[in-house]
Amino acid sequence: MEENLNNSLSGESSKRYNILHVDENPLLLSAGKTFLEESAGINVSTACGQKEAEKLLAGNVYDVIISDYRTDKIDGIKLLRSLRCRGDRTPFIIFTESRSADDAIEALNGGADFYLRKKMPPILQLPELYGRALSLAEEKKSSGIAVDYKNNLLSGIINGIPDVLAIQYADHTIECYNEAGYRLLGMTPDEVRNKKCYNLIGRDTECVECATREAVKTKKMQRIEKYVPELGLYLDCLSIPVLDEDENIVRIIEQLRDITEKKRTEDALHESEEKYEHLYNIMRMMCDNVPDMIWAKDTEKRYIFANKAACVNLLCAEDTAEPVGKTDLYFAERERARHPEDPEWHTFGEICSDSDQITMDVKVPQHFDEYGNIKGKFIFLDVHKAPFLNEKGEMIGTVGSARDITANKKAEEALLKSEERLTLTLDATNDGIWDWDIPTGNAFFSPRWYTMLGYEPDEMPASYDTWRGLVHPDDIGPAEKFIYETIRSGKDGYQLEFRMRAKAGDYRWIYARGSVVSRDEDGNPVRMVGTHTDITERKNAEIALRESENKFRTLVEKASQMLFLHDLDGNIIDVNRKAIKTTGYSRDELLSLNVADIDPDSDKRADNRWLWHDMPEYGDAVFEVRHRRKDGSVYPAEVHATKISIGGEYCILALVTDITERKRNEEALFESEKKYRDIFENSVTGLFRTTPKGIIVDANDSLARMYGYGSRTKLLKENVNAADMYANPAERERVLAVISENGIIENYEVTHVKRDKGLFKAIITARKVRDGDGNLLYCEGSVTDITKLRQTEDALYLANRKLQILSAITRHDILNNITVIRGFLDIIGDFDDYPLIKEYLESLDFSAKAIQDQIEFTREYEKLGVDRPAWLSISGIIRKTGRGKLSVSYECGEYLIYADPMLEKVFYNLMDNTVRHGEKATGVRVLCRVSDPDNSLIITWKDDGVGVLEESKETIFKRSCGKNTGFGLFLSREILSLTGIEIRENGIPGEGASFEITVPERSWQKGSADS
């Protein structure tokens, strides 16, 4: 057997024979053709189909014809009968897998010279087949030439096969291998002969999985796939038993094929499919567990995905599967049909359909405020929609999300009304209102607070220091002492009088009332609110009263407040007109009453007469009571009582103010503050306020939990500085720089540190708040944790990279096979005897080249969108592009554009286009300008070549257009479109090409690569 494999042809054919072989198996045809033509000088024509065979027979003469019997593509009997009907007696051999005796009889009766049944693998029968063919062609040399040819054919064919072929005995003893087998083992024929197959790979016993063992048992062909660790390979093992006439096994022919790469590819694909399925399940669970509505639709506005919230709250669907294939109109009409009594029961079908169409028309993300009825209930949705693009950038539908903001809208309306009421109250009241943040010293002063002293509203900073600087030097010490002793003693309120400097330089008497509205967990006051009342006039009235009775009466009668003068027992002595008008009593009626008679609550408390007796002369008392009018109605009043002496008799002078409106204003202010605090504390987004130095002075629970503090109280207690929350100090410097320049930073991504030193990704929005003079009061903003979002993006990126690896492996295998095909075509094309065949071969080579170009294009195209866009320097890319080709004049400043990292490929393609198609082009100019009114950046690539024809200006951007591969400008437009950048050609034919690249406003900025 080994000698047969190594023998060469012992003689040459005395005649150059022409053989036609017709079969569906191209490998069988190629193996026989290659060997016979190169080693024996025999011409072999091959055909894989009926029409091809008939065409060859019509234009050529053959010495022998070999054909399969009858298959899907070939009818050998038809060919045979056609020849015999024309009187053509060319020897004809039927070589077929058919085991039917009737088929053999039909072939021989039809004029076949020989009938040979195929065995597996049929390639091993080629020596016998071609030997028979030569025998028929030259009967005189049949015995010698056929045998030689058979032996040499078998040797050449077997050694030309890339698979390992082995002949062995039933006990696994090796007789010989083909050359592929010796190469695999790294052994010579002598080292292999008469050894067990498993001994050759270092084993003492046969393999657990063995095709040869099963073939011996069954006397039938057996096939298995297994991994051989000693070789590090996956093998496809095929064992074929060779039987003698008594059905005894004479030999085993074993074929081994290396399927390692195939197995690895299959395993990688299986792993990728499992990960994608797992990822989809996670995404589905995430979408179904968020309160927002999420969906995707095709271009016909039919749902292809909807999360649970969308099904329940928008579509009224039974489950998440029901919306697939249906439209919003379907669900709206179904709901209205169920409630014919209310045509406005469900109105969102038309609304959703209209906004879908707008999104598809403009082809950019859109934001909509949509409102209408669902289940008869009015709702307001915050809707975001965007085009749904496939991997080629083609629109296949829309994606969207919606959030029910009905409650927020109602709260905004209520808040607006509350703010309007508060503004009206502050404008109408005579008292100045203040709000003091004790830890920071910051405050709020109402406009009246300023104007009662002659200042314009917000003319000075609202702060404790401002108040302190205006108080009379003689009053500030006692005032501060009184305030601090009062609040530290646990009391929640105080009343105090002091003088404050007015803008004109004089001092005004102020009656101050304050109340503690918030304490920390240690009981320390952190916030107070109160009022300032200008009592200068009252003080002056008191002085005037002591100096002159007449002046006193004048002041009393003209006073804007009610005035009561009563003795120490409460008997009313005198009143002013305001008191008469307010209470509804006449002067005489009031003078006959005791103050207890107009006090409906006098019986509920101790007699105030002891208070008047014990009060020191000119001592003051301020308190709130309820007074009853003559008609029985009751109103709240504020009493400012002073003990004075008139004619040697002590009495009480009481200035009384109807504080009905003030009470209402205070209640409204309290409710407004409560609503603001509720919104702040219940927001799901982390909210904060810091001092100018970064100390967090206020935050909600969401922010505290986000950073691991558990609650707002714990966070504020630890006096945390916002600077400590940044993992990278440079990030905070960047944030501060943007806020300093713009006053605000929006949706900026940072890496923050939790209390336990754990890191997380976050989006931060913040702004500076200043007073009227431009002084920084504090910073406030929001933080959103996007860690899970980034983890999902990273997982998608990893899966995409694995698919790229799989694609690269597959592309590599395809290109290798195309290279082999083109190599064979090149060899065959050297034969000039058959022009028609050469023409066909040239067509095949052209098609193979086109396939190769398209496969190479996918290598570039699959890189699109793999890496995240970045800020890239135009000047840096242009400098690289101009090296070694045409001269490039860069006439722009320093610009950065936000684009895919493959941007450099765009300018290489533009240069390649100029070089290939510019013909007379000698150089390129790159120009930049900012367009109005959209503030986009226009980058122009202009050459001095022949230009582009008008009818080709859009065609050149289509795939496969051009004299080369046709992919350059198509790929350039695809790269730019990833970040919304556009490209077009608007040059004048004959004056050079001019490509304009339009960069949207938010995708460019001035600066260099270093910045």
Side-chain angles (χ1 to χ4, degrees), residues 716-730:
L716 298 180
K717 187 176 180 180
E718 295 193 17
N719 205 29
V720 177
N721 193 302
D724 300 331
M725 294 179 170
Y726 285 80
N728 183 358

PDB file of all heavy atoms in Angstrom, residues 716-730:
ATOM      1  N   LEU A 716     -26.130  65.866  57.390  1.00  0.00           N
ATOM      2  CA  LEU A 716     -25.888  67.250  57.797  1.00  0.00           C
ATOM      3  C   LEU A 716     -25.107  67.320  59.103  1.00  0.00           C
ATOM      4  O   LEU A 716     -24.334  68.248  59.338  1.00  0.00           O
ATOM      5  CB  LEU A 716     -27.225  67.992  57.934  1.00  0.00           C
ATOM      6  CG  LEU A 716     -28.045  68.107  56.644  1.00  0.00           C
ATOM      7  CD1 LEU A 716     -29.336  68.857  56.909  1.00  0.00           C
ATOM      8  CD2 LEU A 716     -27.241  68.794  55.557  1.00  0.00           C
ATOM      9  N   LYS A 717     -25.310  66.333  59.963  1.00  0.00           N
ATOM     10  CA  LYS A 717     -24.636  66.333  61.263  1.00  0.00           C
ATOM     11  C   LYS A 717     -23.123  66.170  61.108  1.00  0.00           C
ATOM     12  O   LYS A 717     -22.340  66.698  61.912  1.00  0.00           O
ATOM     13  CB  LYS A 717     -25.193  65.202  62.125  1.00  0.00           C
ATOM     14  CG  LYS A 717     -24.674  65.213  63.556  1.00  0.00           C
ATOM     15  CD  LYS A 717     -25.348  64.132  64.392  1.00  0.00           C
ATOM     16  CE  LYS A 717     -24.831  64.142  65.844  1.00  0.00           C
ATOM     17  NZ  LYS A 717     -25.486  63.099  66.659  1.00  0.00           N
ATOM     18  N   GLU A 718     -22.680  65.476  60.044  1.00  0.00           N
ATOM     19  CA  GLU A 718     -21.253  65.209  59.868  1.00  0.00           C
ATOM     20  C   GLU A 718     -20.518  66.342  59.153  1.00  0.00           C
ATOM     21  O   GLU A 718     -19.336  66.241  58.861  1.00  0.00           O
ATOM     22  CB  GLU A 718     -21.058  63.896  59.107  1.00  0.00           C
ATOM     23  CG  GLU A 718     -21.548  62.687  59.896  1.00  0.00           C
ATOM     24  CD  GLU A 718     -21.072  61.380  59.297  1.00  0.00           C
ATOM     25  OE1 GLU A 718     -20.116  61.409  58.482  1.00  0.00           O
ATOM     26  OE2 GLU A 718     -21.635  60.337  59.647  1.00  0.00           O
ATOM     27  N   ASN A 719     -21.262  67.417  58.806  1.00  0.00           N
ATOM     28  CA  ASN A 719     -20.618  68.605  58.234  1.00  0.00           C
ATOM     29  C   ASN A 719     -19.784  68.243  57.006  1.00  0.00           C
ATOM     30  O   ASN A 719     -18.609  68.578  56.902  1.00  0.00           O
ATOM     31  CB  ASN A 719     -19.723  69.267  59.277  1.00  0.00           C
ATOM     32  CG  ASN A 719     -19.532  70.748  58.990  1.00  0.00           C
ATOM     33  OD1 ASN A 719     -20.402  71.385  58.402  1.00  0.00           O
ATOM     34  ND2 ASN A 719     -18.399  71.290  59.382  1.00  0.00           N
ATOM     35  N   VAL A 720     -20.392  67.534  56.058  1.00  0.00           N
ATOM     36  CA  VAL A 720     -19.694  66.999  54.890  1.00  0.00           C
ATOM     37  C   VAL A 720     -19.396  68.121  53.897  1.00  0.00           C
ATOM     38  O   VAL A 720     -20.233  68.983  53.646  1.00  0.00           O
ATOM     39  CB  VAL A 720     -20.552  65.914  54.207  1.00  0.00           C
ATOM     40  CG1 VAL A 720     -19.855  65.399  52.951  1.00  0.00           C
ATOM     41  CG2 VAL A 720     -20.805  64.770  55.187  1.00  0.00           C
ATOM     42  N   ASN A 721     -18.189  68.073  53.301  1.00  0.00           N
ATOM     43  CA  ASN A 721     -17.821  69.018  52.248  1.00  0.00           C
ATOM     44  C   ASN A 721     -17.983  68.322  50.897  1.00  0.00           C
ATOM     45  O   ASN A 721     -17.567  67.172  50.729  1.00  0.00           O
ATOM     46  CB  ASN A 721     -16.367  69.472  52.410  1.00  0.00           C
ATOM     47  CG  ASN A 721     -16.065  70.677  51.530  1.00  0.00           C
ATOM     48  OD1 ASN A 721     -16.211  70.645  50.321  1.00  0.00           O
ATOM     49  ND2 ASN A 721     -15.622  71.753  52.156  1.00  0.00           N
ATOM     50  N   ALA A 722     -18.596  69.000  49.937  1.00  0.00           N
ATOM     51  CA  ALA A 722     -18.847  68.403  48.624  1.00  0.00           C
ATOM     52  C   ALA A 722     -17.548  67.990  47.935  1.00  0.00           C
ATOM     53  O   ALA A 722     -17.541  67.058  47.124  1.00  0.00           O
ATOM     54  CB  ALA A 722     -19.623  69.381  47.739  1.00  0.00           C
ATOM     55  N   ALA A 723     -16.449  68.640  48.251  1.00  0.00           N
ATOM     56  CA  ALA A 723     -15.170  68.294  47.618  1.00  0.00           C
ATOM     57  C   ALA A 723     -14.757  66.869  47.951  1.00  0.00           C
ATOM     58  O   ALA A 723     -14.087  66.200  47.154  1.00  0.00           O
ATOM     59  CB  ALA A 723     -14.091  69.282  48.057  1.00  0.00           C
ATOM     60  N   ASP A 724     -15.130  66.381  49.138  1.00  0.00           N
ATOM     61  CA  ASP A 724     -14.753  65.032  49.559  1.00  0.00           C
ATOM     62  C   ASP A 724     -15.530  63.961  48.820  1.00  0.00           C
ATOM     63  O   ASP A 724     -15.235  62.769  48.959  1.00  0.00           O
ATOM     64  CB  ASP A 724     -14.974  64.877  51.072  1.00  0.00           C
ATOM     65  CG  ASP A 724     -14.131  65.867  51.866  1.00  0.00           C
ATOM     66  OD1 ASP A 724     -13.044  66.233  51.365  1.00  0.00           O
ATOM     67  OD2 ASP A 724     -14.555  66.263  52.967  1.00  0.00           O
ATOM     68  N   MET A 725     -16.547  64.343  48.059  1.00  0.00           N
ATOM     69  CA  MET A 725     -17.374  63.355  47.354  1.00  0.00           C
ATOM     70  C   MET A 725     -16.841  63.039  45.959  1.00  0.00           C
ATOM     71  O   MET A 725     -17.394  62.192  45.270  1.00  0.00           O
ATOM     72  CB  MET A 725     -18.820  63.860  47.236  1.00  0.00           C
ATOM     73  CG  MET A 725     -19.518  63.972  48.587  1.00  0.00           C
ATOM     74  SD  MET A 725     -21.187  64.590  48.405  1.00  0.00           S
ATOM     75  CE  MET A 725     -21.843  64.312  50.067  1.00  0.00           C
ATOM     76  N   TYR A 726     -15.778  63.710  45.530  1.00  0.00           N
ATOM     77  CA  TYR A 726     -15.222  63.477  44.200  1.00  0.00           C
ATOM     78  C   TYR A 726     -14.061  62.496  44.301  1.00  0.00           C
ATOM     79  O   TYR A 726     -13.151  62.680  45.105  1.00  0.00           O
ATOM     80  CB  TYR A 726     -14.733  64.783  43.578  1.00  0.00           C
ATOM     81  CG  TYR A 726     -15.841  65.667  43.095  1.00  0.00           C
ATOM     82  CD1 TYR A 726     -16.562  66.464  43.992  1.00  0.00           C
ATOM     83  CD2 TYR A 726     -16.208  65.709  41.752  1.00  0.00           C
ATOM     84  CE1 TYR A 726     -17.593  67.275  43.555  1.00  0.00           C
ATOM     85  CE2 TYR A 726     -17.243  66.531  41.315  1.00  0.00           C
ATOM     86  CZ  TYR A 726     -17.926  67.308  42.214  1.00  0.00           C
ATOM     87  OH  TYR A 726     -18.947  68.101  41.785  1.00  0.00           O
ATOM     88  N   ALA A 727     -14.088  61.456  43.452  1.00  0.00           N
ATOM     89  CA  ALA A 727     -12.989  60.493  43.417  1.00  0.00           C
ATOM     90  C   ALA A 727     -11.746  61.122  42.797  1.00  0.00           C
ATOM     91  O   ALA A 727     -10.633  60.794  43.159  1.00  0.00           O
ATOM     92  CB  ALA A 727     -13.409  59.249  42.623  1.00  0.00           C
ATOM     93  N   ASN A 728     -11.958  62.029  41.867  1.00  0.00           N
ATOM     94  CA  ASN A 728     -10.851  62.692  41.190  1.00  0.00           C
ATOM     95  C   ASN A 728     -10.978  64.202  41.426  1.00  0.00           C
ATOM     96  O   ASN A 728     -11.911  64.837  40.938  1.00  0.00           O
ATOM     97  CB  ASN A 728     -10.902  62.387  39.684  1.00  0.00           C
ATOM     98  CG  ASN A 728      -9.721  63.001  38.949  1.00  0.00           C
ATOM     99  OD1 ASN A 728      -8.881  63.688  39.532  1.00  0.00           O
ATOM    100  ND2 ASN A 728      -9.647  62.747  37.645  1.00  0.00           N
ATOM    101  N   PRO A 729     -10.050  64.811  42.172  1.00  0.00           N
ATOM    102  CA  PRO A 729     -10.144  66.261  42.448  1.00  0.00           C
ATOM    103  C   PRO A 729     -10.210  67.097  41.174  1.00  0.00           C
ATOM    104  O   PRO A 729     -10.807  68.158  41.157  1.00  0.00           O
ATOM    105  CB  PRO A 729      -8.866  66.541  43.248  1.00  0.00           C
ATOM    106  CG  PRO A 729      -8.498  65.221  43.859  1.00  0.00           C
ATOM    107  CD  PRO A 729      -8.903  64.184  42.865  1.00  0.00           C
ATOM    108  N   ALA A 730      -9.573  66.584  40.084  1.00  0.00           N
ATOM    109  CA  ALA A 730      -9.599  67.352  38.833  1.00  0.00           C
ATOM    110  C   ALA A 730     -11.017  67.476  38.296  1.00  0.00           C
ATOM    111  O   ALA A 730     -11.361  68.466  37.647  1.00  0.00           O
ATOM    112  CB  ALA A 730      -8.699  66.672  37.797  1.00  0.00           C
TER     113      ALA A 730
END
